[in-house]
Amino acid sequence: MRVLIYGSGVIGSLYASLLSEMEVEVSMFSRGKRLNDLQSHGLRYKKNNEIRKAKVTVISKLRDEDNYDFILLAVKENQLRIALEELKTNISPNIVTMVNSLKTRDELELICGKGRIIQAFPGAGGGFDGEVLDAELTPRIVQTTTIGMTDGHEKKLLKLFKSAKIPCQIVKDMHAWQICHLAMVVPIADAYYESDNPKRAGYDRNLMKNTANQIKRNLSELRSKQVELTPTKMKVIRLIPTSILGAVLGFVFRSSFGDKFMYRHSMKAPDEMRILHDKFYSYIECNEK
């Protein structure tokens, strides 16, 4: 099987390293400084307190005739349209959009072609220690890699991920799943940006209470607009008293989990998260009219 990872940031690099440990031919598309480092030193990553080098082929150009079983699109939301425009003439049958986005599958396929999109979301986080990847999969109990149901192609992707020991699941309505995900992660990112000391945001009780209140309000708004709250934990979160949810958020913000999976991404991608903030609340407002 041939897989192209389109994007060489934290998420793309992690999935490339995991898939490269299996009998999968992995290529990675990169640009700029990251491309130079990959060409010079390869994809280096930390695992079990060791620095390893992944067996991947690094490319900077993709020809239309280059055929991959899957292209995993690991870019920011504000780069999604441009990336799909670049991929629309390539003959590869499956483009997996591992991106935070409010766009539906139909909207994405208007850009790159009918039947090609598999929407997904990574269960991962971390960063780089210099040029060495320091990232890991999200604990299964929190969030697995999530794949949207299509016309059957998602089952082959599920099998690929499971062969690489990547916990994953298929959901029926990926659009609803992503909207609910944003209902939670947008206020979390906002909390970091509102704090005078983002690293210690979890120690601000009022900020955590306000964040909890906003998450609950967002989920209630979605429910009132007939959006299914998914996964099930979103229904539970909506009903948790604000004081308790705020205390839980404070604990998570202060934890090593919060640092790796929440703080680092929010601080590294403020432009993307602010765009998602605007798009999410615009979605809420539009559905109120």
Side-chain angles (χ1 to χ4, degrees):
M1 181 175 290
R2 302 183 74 222
V3 176
L4 173 65
I5 311 294
Y6 198 92
S8 56
V10 172
I11 299 301
S13 296
L14 177 60
Y15 280 79
S17 67
L18 292 169
L19 291 171
S20 72
E21 295 178 353
M22 311 304 296
E23 293 184 2
V24 177
E25 183 182 335
V26 181
S27 297
M28 174 177 282
F29 180 89
S30 186
R31 292 188 174 108
K33 183 178 181 298
R34 180 66 174 150
L35 171 63
N36 293 335
D37 183 73
L38 289 168
Q39 289 176 330
S40 299
H41 305 290
L43 173 54
R44 295 167 294 167
Y45 64 102
K46 291 183 180 181
K47 185 171 183 178
N48 298 330
N49 297 317
E50 297 178 351
I51 295 179
R52 302 185 183 185
K53 187 174 180 179
K55 186 179 179 181
V56 301
T57 300
V58 180
I59 64 172
S60 59
K61 293 183 180 180
L62 179 66
R63 300 172 300 177
D64 289 350
E65 63 269 25
D66 291 337
N67 194 1
Y68 296 90
D69 294 282
F70 293 101
I71 296 179
L72 304 190
L73 188 53
V75 298
K76 296 177 182 177
E77 199 278 342
N78 50 327
Q79 301 168 329
L80 179 57
R81 172 173 282 277
I82 294 173
L84 289 175
E85 290 281 0
E86 292 174 345
L87 293 172
K88 68 180 180 181
T89 56
N90 177 266
I91 65 172
S92 301
N94 300 302
I95 301 173
V96 185
T97 55
M98 303 183 74
V99 184
N100 251 326
S101 179
L102 281 169
K103 293 187 181 297
T104 65
R105 183 178 179 227
D106 287 343
E107 289 174 320
L108 296 175
E109 289 187 340
L110 286 175
I111 304 172
C112 66
K114 188 71 174 174
R116 298 185 72 194
I117 292 292
I118 301 174
Q119 289 181 292
F121 193 82
F128 288 99
D129 183 359
E131 298 298 335
V132 178
L133 178 69
D134 181 15
E136 60 185 291
L137 296 171
T138 311
R140 185 189 297 265
I141 194 172
V142 177
Q143 178 186 307
T144 63
T145 297
T146 303
I147 305 167
M149 187 177 293
T150 60
D151 50 6
H153 291 188
E154 75 282 359
K155 294 178 182 177
K156 187 177 180 182
L157 179 63
L158 183 77
K159 184 177 180 180
L160 171 66
F161 282 160
K162 285 188 173 181
S163 72
K165 299 181 180 179
I166 299 172
C168 49
Q169 63 174 337
I170 292 175
V171 297
K172 184 176 181 180
D173 189 345
M174 191 64 191
H175 184 56
W177 189 97
Q178 289 204 299
I179 293 171
C180 292
H181 178 76
L182 287 172
M184 189 164 184
V185 299
V186 164
I188 287 173
D190 287 345
Y192 287 118
Y193 306 144
E194 292 169 15
S195 176
D196 293 333
N197 186 351
K199 190 75 173 176
R200 295 181 60 82
Y203 292 91
D204 187 332
R205 292 185 179 181
N206 286 333
L207 180 60
M208 293 297 98
K209 181 180 178 180
N210 291 339
T211 302
N213 191 50
Q214 188 61 57
I215 290 171
K216 287 166 56 66
R217 185 182 301 123
N218 288 348
L219 293 172
S220 293
E221 287 280 359
L222 292 178
R223 183 172 179 269
S224 71
K225 309 308 176 200
Q226 307 303 310
V227 175
E228 180 184 359
L229 299 187
T230 180
T232 303
K233 67 182 178 183
M234 294 298 181
K235 298 174 183 176
V236 176
I237 289 170
R238 188 183 71 85
L239 298 175
I240 295 175
T242 301
S243 59
I244 295 176
L245 183 57
V248 171
L249 285 173
F251 174 80
V252 175
F253 268 68
R254 297 189 298 270
S255 69
S256 59
F257 170 89
D259 177 72
K260 175 163 281 190
F261 294 98
M262 293 159 41
Y263 174 78
R264 293 190 197 182
H265 177 72
S266 297
M267 293 297 101
K268 186 175 177 60
D271 292 344
E272 178 189 24
M273 292 310 301
R274 286 182 172 122
I275 288 171
L276 288 169
H277 170 109
D278 292 343
K279 288 187 175 182
F280 175 77
Y281 289 113
S282 291
Y283 175 88
I284 293 292
E285 291 173 6
C286 286
N287 280 272
E288 287 178 349
K289 297 177 181 179

